[in-house]
Amino acid sequence: MNQLKAGAALNYVSICLNMVVGLIYTPYMLRMLGQSEYGLYSLAASIIAYLTVLDLGFGNAIVRYTAKFRAEGKQREQEEMFGMFFVLYIGIGIIAMIAGSALSLNVENLFSRSMTETEVTRTRIMLWLMTFNLAFTFPMSIWGSIMTAYERFVFQRLVSIIRSVLNPVVMVLLLVIGYKAVAMVVVTTIFNVVTLLINWWYCKYRLDIKIRFAKFKWNFLKEVSVYSFWIFLNAIMDRIYWSTGQFVLGVYRGAVAIAIYAVAIQLQNMYMMFSTAISGVFLPKITSMVTKENNEKNISDLFIRTGRLQYVIMAFILSAFIVFGKPFIQLWAGNGYEDAYYICLMFFIPLTVPLIQNVGITILMARNQMKFRSLLYIVIALLSLALSVLLAKPYGGYGCALATSLALFVGQVLIMNVYYQRKQHLDILRFWREIMKMSIVPLSFVLIGLFAINHLEIQFLSIGKFVLAGIVFTILYVIAFWNFSMNKEERNLIVQPVMKFIRK
């Protein structure tokens, strides 16, 4: 439990640190690179992101089955499973290298009509570097999954925090010297390799993890594959949702359109991280609950309690962004990125629902019942992709964002809530009653804030005025939300650690 609490807390420390670093580093990077160069960097990253689906869902399978074997006291089975997955990941790394090389060799055929020859060459170099990075990551990723299964969240988060600080420092130095996007990819690769080696060291010398290369247990691999296949489909869906837009815009609109869309995607990633900080540490715990008791009421209570906690954070961020998002992007990203505000809203509003319900995904993983969700999402994601292609040429980034937004609303808001209620027996009706009661304060602040800005013609011409307005909004919001939206348990989660710290 201490690891769970500390892991979730350090997750938020890491996220807040990334936010602070991003607020300082990203605008500098955007101005030093320019829209074209940043667009190329984002395009290369989105293309390689497609190859991450070659994980096939095995990362989550390692966490789930390691937690299961530990609960059952099966040490030897653990070690043989680690050996099997290590060999499988080496094969996947080789496949990734081949696929990435093929993409690199065909960059000109894909993007020559919307890019210059220089842009094509730089994109090809970045794709080569990212391909190597990914190929090395696959076999070494097993160590991070093992650490998660053993609930060693504190060390993982500390390494992540250190990396979050060092990475932009080195990037800034390179940008000052005059290096561009290619150098940024080199630095990212080096940091990734070092992080993976640190995870290996921790597993070997701190957790005393051993790997047995025994005879392949094909029946067990078949069982694991059935479980991981649906997670694999879910990963494909994620890539279609969040990486296809850059690719489609690269074909039809060029590097500048990609850069604007990529800023919106970067903010969307930050938005998602605030939610997953809590749910990301619950898979081992829920797996243990399902294995030992599978009490539907207890699991449903955990779903609602965690959803409320996530909504405390997400409601504030969404409310603040709706009110202050437009001037924030103008001050932060600079001129030329104004459209990113409306694209972000198309993402944030429908995305909030699955983000406060993502413990539901963890429950499905623990119960090995990902089939329906994965099939549903892959169908809706493919329809979203087709709609993106149709809308990208006439409407650019707005068209891609609209396609994604519609897919999120139909699949993750409407259909999945019915599925959770009827098939997983989660008390969704009670969940929404709780959320609606909590929503009065955020909705009121959004309406008042928009009225004040639009009708009183408040303008944020300087960072000082913007920060002051944000502080006033935050203080008033926190006071109102604390008194009218949070329950006693949620207040104690904040008060008790503070009081304990004061007493010490």
Side-chain angles (χ1 to χ4, degrees):
M1 186 57 66
N2 288 335
Q3 283 282 333
L4 287 172
K5 291 180 179 178
L10 284 174
N11 247 352
Y12 275 113
V13 171
S14 178
I15 290 169
C16 291
L17 183 61
N18 280 322
M19 292 289 289
V20 172
V21 169
L23 289 172
I24 298 171
Y25 163 67
T26 301
Y28 177 79
M29 177 191 68
L30 291 174
R31 288 161 175 78
M32 292 295 289
L33 289 179
Q35 280 190 312
S36 177
E37 191 81 6
Y38 179 67
L40 297 179
Y41 176 78
S42 301
L43 175 62
S46 68
I47 292 173
I48 291 299
Y50 285 107
L51 297 182
T52 61
V53 302
L54 290 173
D55 174 79
L56 303 177
F58 286 151
N60 278 288
I62 293 172
V63 176
R64 190 221 182 219
Y65 280 92
T66 301
K68 181 175 182 293
F69 286 148
R70 290 188 73 206
E72 296 170 346
K74 296 180 178 178
Q75 182 67 29
R76 184 179 181 88
E77 285 81 355
Q78 270 191 76
E79 295 171 357
E80 291 179 351
M81 179 186 68
F82 296 154
M84 180 185 74
F85 277 118
F86 190 73
V87 172
L88 284 173
Y89 272 134
I90 290 175
I92 291 172
I94 294 172
I95 294 172
M97 196 73 190
I98 295 171
S101 299
L103 287 169
S104 301
L105 293 171
N106 285 278
V107 170
E108 188 171 1
N109 296 330
L110 291 170
F111 305 113
S112 58
R113 65 176 174 177
S114 64
M115 296 184 184
T116 65
E117 184 176 345
T118 301
E119 291 174 336
V120 168
T121 300
R122 290 178 180 173
T123 303
R124 179 181 290 113
I125 294 171
M126 287 187 283
L127 284 176
W128 280 115
L129 291 168
M130 291 179 179
T131 297
F132 165 77
N133 189 359
L134 186 64
F136 181 79
T137 297
F138 275 123
M140 296 298 290
S141 64
I142 186 175
W143 309 113
S145 298
I146 292 172
M147 290 166 67
T148 300
Y150 273 69
E151 301 183 38
R152 292 301 189 268
F153 303 115
V154 173
F155 183 81
Q156 279 183 303
R157 301 322 185 239
L158 288 175
V159 171
S160 175
I161 289 170
I162 294 171
R163 177 176 175 175
S164 299
V165 174
L166 291 179
N167 192 56
V169 170
V170 176
M171 294 287 199
V172 167
L173 292 175
L174 290 174
L175 290 171
V176 169
I177 294 172
Y179 290 102
K180 297 290 186 179
V182 174
M184 293 172 59
V185 176
V186 172
V187 172
T188 301
T189 301
I190 293 172
F191 273 102
N192 185 59
V193 170
V194 172
T195 301
L196 293 169
L197 291 175
I198 289 173
N199 289 345
W200 165 80
W201 172 86
Y202 187 87
C203 286
K204 183 175 178 61
Y205 294 103
R206 294 296 182 182
L207 299 181
D208 195 28
I209 298 297
K210 295 181 176 60
I211 292 181
R212 289 182 189 270
F213 295 101
K215 184 178 179 180
F216 254 57
K217 295 183 178 179
W218 295 103
N219 289 334
F220 175 68
L221 180 59
K222 182 179 178 181
E223 177 188 345
V224 172
S225 298
V226 171
Y227 167 82
S228 62
F229 176 72
W230 306 115
I231 300 173
F232 164 62
L233 288 184
N234 187 67
I236 293 177
M237 178 274 299
D238 280 336
R239 293 280 66 80
I240 293 174
Y241 275 150
W242 308 121
S243 297
T244 299
Q246 292 98 309
F247 185 87
V248 172
L249 291 173
V251 173
Y252 292 110
R253 285 297 188 114
V256 173
I258 298 171
I260 296 171
Y261 196 82
V263 167
I265 290 292
Q266 183 176 357
L267 293 173
Q268 168 263 322
N269 287 333
M270 293 180 184
Y271 188 61
M272 290 181 69
M273 281 192 296
F274 275 98
S275 174
T276 55
I278 292 178
S279 63
V281 300
F282 273 103
L283 180 55
K285 178 180 176 64
I286 294 175
T287 301
S288 179
M289 291 173 64
V290 170
T291 302
K292 293 179 179 179
E293 53 176 311
N294 199 20
N295 186 305
E296 290 182 351
K297 184 181 183 306
N298 290 343
I299 294 174
S300 189
D301 288 344
L302 178 64
F303 176 83
I304 294 170
R305 189 164 65 250
T306 307
R308 282 183 58 95
L309 288 172
Q310 291 170 314
Y311 191 66
V312 170
I313 303 295
M314 306 312 294
F316 168 70
I317 298 171
L318 180 60
S319 302
F321 187 82
I322 292 174
V323 175
F324 298 108
K326 187 184 293 185
F328 165 75
I329 289 176
Q330 291 174 337
L331 291 170
W332 179 66
N335 295 326
Y337 290 97
E338 293 81 4
D339 289 346
Y341 169 72
Y342 300 101
I343 294 174
C344 281
L345 288 183
M346 291 184 189
F347 292 153
F348 285 11
I349 294 173
L351 189 59
T352 301
V353 174
L355 288 181
I356 63 175
Q357 293 183 339
N358 54 20
V359 166
I361 305 173
T362 310
I363 292 171
L364 295 179
M365 290 178 181
R367 289 175 171 173
N368 197 7
Q369 294 178 9
M370 289 287 291
K371 181 178 180 179
F372 174 80
R373 181 182 185 276
S374 299
L375 288 176
L376 168 68
Y377 282 18
I378 199 67
V379 170
I380 293 178
L382 289 173
L383 293 176
S384 170
L385 172 59
L387 190 59
S388 294
V389 173
L390 291 175
L391 297 178
K393 194 169 184 178
Y395 303 110
Y398 286 122
C400 292
L402 178 61
T404 300
S405 181
L406 289 174
L408 288 169
F409 181 77
V410 173
Q412 301 196 31
V413 177
L414 296 180
I415 298 177
M416 279 307 298
N417 272 262
V418 175
Y419 177 75
Y420 283 145
Q421 175 74 38
R422 295 188 177 182
K423 297 298 182 180
Q424 294 299 318
H425 307 294
L426 300 176
D427 196 346
I428 295 298
L429 296 179
R430 180 159 67 94
F431 173 88
W432 280 112
R433 285 196 298 269
E434 298 285 333
I435 295 300
M436 293 303 293
K437 287 188 292 185
M438 298 177 72
S439 299
I440 296 173
V441 170
L443 182 60
S444 301
F445 270 75
V446 166
L447 294 176
I448 294 171
L450 289 178
F451 176 84
I453 290 176
N454 294 325
H455 293 276
L456 302 180
E457 298 183 355
I458 298 175
Q459 296 184 354
F460 303 102
L461 302 177
S462 67
I463 295 177
K465 289 183 179 180
F466 178 81
V467 171
L468 179 61
I471 292 173
V472 172
F473 178 90
T474 300
I475 293 173
L476 295 176
Y477 180 97
V478 168
I479 293 172
F481 200 87
W482 180 275
N483 287 288
F484 300 109
S485 295
M486 295 176 69
N487 60 33
K488 184 177 180 181
E489 179 188 4
E490 291 156 357
R491 294 190 197 103
N492 286 337
L493 285 175
I494 298 173
V495 172
Q496 288 177 354
V498 173
M499 295 303 296
K500 186 182 295 185
F501 177 78
I502 292 174
R503 285 196 298 268
K504 287 184 178 180

